[in-house]
Amino acid sequence: MPAKQGRVSLRVILGIIIVLLLGGLAVSCYPGQWQAAQRVQGFIDAVNENNSGDVYPYLLPQLRERINKEDFVRNFAKERSYPYLTPLYLYLDEVKLAPDRYTGEAVLTVAARLPGEKMRVQLYYYRGKYYIAAFEDIVDGTFEEKFKKL
């Protein structure tokens, strides 16, 4: 008697599930456009929520080595407290990666500022994640210099 058509063995189904799971894991750990865009969006969300504690883990490790989280949070709050500053709100325009996909740049639109103002941040892939070179003036405290000129 011929086997029923349309029946798929349990082994085939399990094999497909395993391939999909392993493929998804490999894609999420490999540097690429999707991973970079997701990481930048997480950074943007933390900035837009004005949650500097959540911004800190996205910063490039070399920046975080120069300031601890508590000091970064304090500097960020101080920088944002100046009366003339409007809330910092960002939108992702694009992520451009180098051919090797280990470095790149994200271009962000800065809302509630000058029309068309852009913020460009550098991206670096390190230990399975993209990190962002941003807010160096907050890390090193030089943000205070701009307020002395006002």
Side-chain angles (χ1 to χ4, degrees):
M1 205 190 293
K4 288 186 176 179
Q5 288 191 3
R7 269 186 94 157
V8 180
S9 77
L10 183 57
R11 282 186 184 168
V12 171
I13 292 171
L14 288 175
I16 291 171
I17 290 171
I18 290 170
V19 166
L20 290 174
L21 288 174
L22 291 176
L25 180 62
V27 166
S28 68
C29 295
Y30 188 72
Q33 193 73 26
W34 184 84
Q35 293 80 359
Q38 291 299 308
R39 225 14 215 173
V40 172
Q41 189 59 56
F43 169 78
I44 288 170
D45 292 345
V47 169
N48 291 351
E49 293 167 5
N50 199 31
N51 189 339
S52 53
D54 287 350
V55 171
Y56 185 80
Y58 288 97
L59 296 179
L60 192 62
Q62 291 87 335
L63 291 174
R64 288 181 298 162
E65 287 172 3
R66 293 170 38 201
I67 191 170
N68 64 40
K69 185 176 181 177
E70 293 75 26
D71 289 341
F72 177 79
V73 168
R74 188 186 69 246
N75 283 2
F76 194 94
K78 188 173 182 182
E79 193 267 350
R80 300 307 314 151
S81 69
Y82 283 90
Y84 87 94
L85 289 178
T86 57
L88 181 58
Y89 204 82
L90 305 172
Y91 294 97
L92 178 59
D93 287 341
E94 65 178 318
V95 172
K96 298 182 277 188
L97 295 178
D100 69 0
R101 298 185 289 202
Y102 282 86
T103 61
E105 178 182 66
V107 180
L108 317 173
T109 293
V110 181
R113 298 272 178 103
L114 299 173
E117 185 178 350
K118 301 291 181 185
M119 178 179 177
R120 295 177 182 278
V121 295
Q122 299 305 306
L123 307 175
Y124 299 92
Y125 190 80
Y126 177 71
R127 293 189 177 177
K129 293 181 182 178
Y130 282 96
Y131 291 92
I132 299 161
F135 301 126
E136 187 162 354
D137 61 336
I138 292 175
V139 169
D140 65 17
T142 58
F143 70 92
E144 294 186 276
E145 295 300 316
K146 66 183 169 187
F147 300 117
K148 290 178 183 176
K149 296 175 185 175
L150 295 178

